[in-house]
Amino acid sequence: MPDNPVRCIVVDDEPLAVDLVADYLHRTPGMQVVLKTTHVLDALHTVQQGGADLLFLDIQMPELTGIQFMKIVRNACAVILTTAYAEYALEGYEYDVVDYLLKPVTF
C-alpha cells in the first residue's frame, strides 16, 4: 500500500451495496477503507473529525439524505455519489461531487 493511501468511507443504507463498493476499493491500489457503514451518522462523525479523503455516498437514506449530508460537511472531503436514481446527478454536481455512479455499480 502506498505511503499515503486515499482514506475512503462507504455509506449506504443497503448492506450489500456497502460490501460491494468496499470490496472494489480493497482491490484498488492506493485506496484504504476506513469505514463502511449503513449508518450515515457514523460517516458524518468520521468526516467531521477529518478521518476521510473520499466518501462513497448513497443519496436515498432514512436518517439523512446524501444531499443533506453534503450540505453539512461542505467540502470536508471529496464525494462520489452512488445511487439508483439518475435524476439526482445534476443536483449532485452543484456540490462539486467527484463522480456519480449509478447502481448497480460495477468494478
Side-chain angles (χ1 to χ4, degrees):
M1 182 165 292
D3 292 338
N4 295 310
V6 177
R7 299 169 301 155
C8 302
I9 293 176
V10 181
V11 60
D12 196 307
D13 60 330
E14 300 174 25
L16 292 176
V18 170
D19 290 341
L20 180 67
V21 173
D23 178 62
Y24 292 160
L25 290 169
H26 286 300
R27 295 166 38 190
T28 305
M31 299 295 195
Q32 175 188 16
V33 177
V34 295
L35 177 65
K36 63 178 200 171
T37 184
T38 57
H39 302 286
V40 68
L41 298 179
D42 292 343
L44 180 62
H45 176 74
T46 302
V47 169
Q48 289 176 323
Q49 296 299 314
D53 303 309
L54 179 60
L55 176 68
F56 289 80
L57 178 66
D58 186 22
I59 292 179
Q60 294 286 0
M61 294 179 288
E63 297 171 308
L64 190 68
T65 70
I67 301 299
Q68 291 169 325
F69 188 104
M70 289 186 296
K71 286 179 183 178
I72 293 169
V73 300
R74 304 276 178 199
N75 294 321
C77 68
V79 176
I80 295 176
L81 294 176
T82 59
T83 184
Y85 303 98
E87 62 267 22
Y88 292 107
L90 184 59
E91 187 173 8
Y93 285 112
E94 291 175 10
Y95 292 94
D96 297 324
V97 299
V98 173
D99 207 346
Y100 189 94
L101 302 177
L102 276 177
K103 293 178 183 177
V105 175
T106 59
F107 189 65

